[in-house]
């Protein structure tokens, strides 16, 4: 194996460890979506044993796992969770962001906003709660319609990227952005909005810890291989120099 190939493998394993650490750090973040660890998929094809691993041969590319997390009941009238495939839309000056974190608030103008104060998009624009409606008087139907004191206030815009979902990339604060300007989301279908719930992170701590152990063992295997190569090279040089 070429030294550059081995170095690339070591660098990739280091990045993989950083990804696992990031997943674990967000195990309690509402709506967080973990990154898949490609190395674990490769190990699955090798009967899950790092002992059969050939240094430098596993592709460690990663992708986001958008599978749904468990629901946690909070009782907060402004906590919403989406059952099914789709994203809440958050408006920014740079364009829309998409999130599964439905922990919202009401700003000083009565508008529904996320934890960063950004407007949550409704199908007809920002959702504004009249001053006469208290938070406890707000209800949300299964299709995302927001009702205050019996009156229709608006409807949450919930969008789905379907087969293009894997093109989304993280944009910070537990949001995602679609970098491909040619891709347009469509209104989510067959979803249910649950009020008073948060969608938990889809990180499975035990699985991540197992992956961390595997990555560590693969890293050690690479380092031993590298050390052996250096020793062999040193022996050859000694022989050559007499």
């Amino acid at each position: 194996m070429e030294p550059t190939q081995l170095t690339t493998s070591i660098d990739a394993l280091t990045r993989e460890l950083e990804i696992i650490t990031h997943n674990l750090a967000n195990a309690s973040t509402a709506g967080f979506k973990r990154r898949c660890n490609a190395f674990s998929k490769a190990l699955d094809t090798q009967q899950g044993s790092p002992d059969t691993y050939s240094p430098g041969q596993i592709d460690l590319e990663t992708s986001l796992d958008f599978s749904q997390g468990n629901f946690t009941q909070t009782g907060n009238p402004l906590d919403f969770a989406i059952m099914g495939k789709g994203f809440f839309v958050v408006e920014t000056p740079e364009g829309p962001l998409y999130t599964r974190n439905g922990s919202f608030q009401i700003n000083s103008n009565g508008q529904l906003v996320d934890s960063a104060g950004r407007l949550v998009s409704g199908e007809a624009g920002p959702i504004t709660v009249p001053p006469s409606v208290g938070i406890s008087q707000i209800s949300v139907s299964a299709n995302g319609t927001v009702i205050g004191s019996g009156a229709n206030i608006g409807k949450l815009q919930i969008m789905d990227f379907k087969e293009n979902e894997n093109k989304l990339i993280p944009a910070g604060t537990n949001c995602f952005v679609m970098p491909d300007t040619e891709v347009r989301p469509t209104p989510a279908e067959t979803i249910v909005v649950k009020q008073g719930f948060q969608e938990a992170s889809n990180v499975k701590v035990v699985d991540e810890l197992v992956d961390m152990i595997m990555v560590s063992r693969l890293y050690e295997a690479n380092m031993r291989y590298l050390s052996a190569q250096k020793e062999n090279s040193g022996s050859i040089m000694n022989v050559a120099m007499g």
Side-chain angles (χ1 to χ4, degrees), residues 1 5 9 46 50-58 218 221-222 225:
M1 182 191 307
Q5 184 182 11
S9 180
Q46 300 174 2
D51 298 329
T52 60
Y53 166 70
S54 176
Q57 298 303 308
I58 290 182
L218 296 181
N222 275 270
Y225 193 91

Side-chain angles (χ1 to χ4, degrees), residues 98 134 187 237:
Y98 304 91
M237 287 298 295

Side-chain angles (χ1 to χ4, degrees), residues 172-192:
T173 61
N174 208 15
C175 291
F176 305 95
V177 64
M178 174 53 72
D180 188 342
T181 56
E182 299 300 318
V183 175
R184 295 286 187 271
T186 58
E189 302 172 354
T190 63
I191 56 97
V192 173

Side-chain angles (χ1 to χ4, degrees), residues 131-172:
S132 59
V133 176
I135 292 178
S136 62
Q137 297 173 301
I138 297 174
S139 62
V140 177
S141 65
N143 69 355
T145 299
V146 183
I147 301 168
S149 297
N152 190 330
I153 295 175
K155 186 178 181 182
L156 292 164
Q157 186 177 44
I158 301 175
M159 307 301 285
D160 184 16
F161 287 90
K162 296 184 178 179
E163 69 276 2
N164 291 309
E165 188 178 67
N166 62 348
K167 294 184 179 181
L168 289 166
I169 60 174

Side-chain angles (χ1 to χ4, degrees), residues 29-108:
T29 301
F32 179 80
K33 299 304 174 187
R34 67 183 287 271
R35 279 191 174 275
C36 302
N37 302 310
F39 91 94
S40 60
K41 296 178 182 177
L43 285 177
D44 284 341
T45 65
Q46 300 174 2
Q47 289 74 51
S49 173
D51 298 329
T52 60
Y53 166 70
S54 176
Q57 298 303 308
I58 290 182
D59 182 0
L60 294 176
E61 290 186 2
T62 60
S63 60
L64 288 167
D65 173 11
F66 284 106
S67 62
Q68 184 170 288
N70 295 326
F71 288 166
T72 301
Q73 187 168 10
T74 66
N76 185 339
L78 297 182
D79 280 348
F80 310 132
I82 301 171
M83 181 179 292
K85 294 181 67 63
F87 298 87
F88 297 109
V89 183
V90 177
E91 299 298 338
T92 77
E94 293 74 32
L97 298 179
Y98 304 91
T99 184
R100 294 281 296 192
N101 183 359
S103 183
F104 300 138
Q105 305 167 7
I106 302 294
N107 67 11
S108 58

